[in-house]
Amino acid sequence: FSVLLHGPLPLPDLARMPLAAGVALHAACASSGVRGGLKWPNDLLAPDGRKLAGILLEADLRGEEARRAVLGLGVNVAAAPPGAAHLHGFRPGLTRADLLSRLLAELERWLAAPPGEVLAAWRRSNLTLGREVRVVTARGEVSGTALDLDAGGSLLVRLPDGPTVPVHAGDVQLVGSLQAPSRPQEDTP
C-alpha cells in the first residue's frame, strides 16, 4: 500500500521517513507475533533472515523541501517470491486487515516522533549494525563494518583500513549469518 504525505517536508525529514516506516512496520509485525529485524535502509527481514517487506519513498522536491511524498510499503502477507518470506509462514491466519490496522497506527506514531526517538527505535530493531556489510552505491561498492547511524539516518561504515564513511543511499548486503548480532549500547529508552 502507499501513503500520500503532504508538505512542506524538509529534506532531513524525508531521509528519516523510511527509517520511521521501518520502525512502524517492525512494531506492527511484532505485535502480530512475528519478530524480525530491520536491514538498513528499508527492509524488514524475517527471523530466519529472508526478506518480509520493503519500503520506498518518492518525493516531489522543490528546493530544500518536498511538496508531497509517497511512502510505499510492500509486505509479503500470504505469499512471497522465491527466496523471500511471508507472514503466514510465521503467523498463520494473520489477516491483511489486522496488519494494516496495526501498521497505520504505528505509522502515525513514528512519522510524528522526534528524530532521535526514531533513530533509537531503529537501532533497537536493526540487524545491520555491528555486522560486516557490502553496500552498492551510485559511486561504487563500500565494504566494512556497519557501526551506527548518523543524525540524518545515514549508515556509518568503518572501512577495513580504518576510516569511517557515511553511506546516504545504497543496497546493503549483510555478510555472514544473522546469528547473534553485536549491537551498540543504547542510551535512550
Side-chain angles (χ1 to χ4, degrees):
F1 71 95
S2 296
V3 176
L4 178 62
L5 305 167
H6 292 282
L9 304 165
L11 293 182
D13 291 352
L14 285 177
R16 285 185 294 270
M17 280 183 185
L19 300 175
V23 170
L25 185 57
H26 180 267
C29 288
S31 71
S32 298
V34 180
R35 296 210 178 268
L38 298 171
K39 184 181 88 164
W40 187 89
N42 58 358
D43 288 338
L44 176 69
L45 302 183
D48 63 6
R50 294 179 296 155
K51 186 172 177 175
L52 270 174
I55 301 160
L56 291 175
L57 179 74
E58 291 187 15
D60 178 15
L61 298 176
R62 303 285 186 212
E64 293 295 312
E65 62 186 25
R67 292 185 353 192
R68 63 186 153 266
V70 177
L71 183 63
L73 290 93
V75 182
N76 301 330
V77 177
H86 57 83
L87 292 173
H88 283 176
F90 300 93
R91 175 73 165 56
L94 178 63
T95 67
R96 284 180 171 86
D98 184 43
L99 179 65
L100 183 60
S101 173
R102 292 170 195 251
L103 186 47
L104 288 173
E106 292 292 344
L107 268 176
E108 187 171 6
R109 172 184 177 204
W110 288 106
L111 287 175
E117 189 176 330
V118 170
L119 294 175
W122 189 93
R123 286 179 182 111
R124 287 190 301 271
S125 305
N126 92 89
L127 296 174
T128 306
L129 303 182
R131 298 193 183 283
E132 294 300 311
V133 295
R134 221 175 358 258
V135 187
V136 179
T137 72
R139 291 194 224 163
E141 187 175 287
V142 174
S143 294
T145 304
L147 295 179
D148 201 359
L149 301 180
D150 68 13
S154 295
L155 183 65
L156 300 175
V157 178
R158 185 179 59 231
L159 303 178
D161 57 353
T164 298
V165 297
V167 177
H168 307 292
D171 180 29
V172 171
Q173 298 171 1
L174 302 176
V175 178
S177 80
L178 286 178
Q179 302 304 314
S182 60
R183 294 184 180 173
Q185 294 297 314
E186 188 58 47
D187 293 335
T188 56

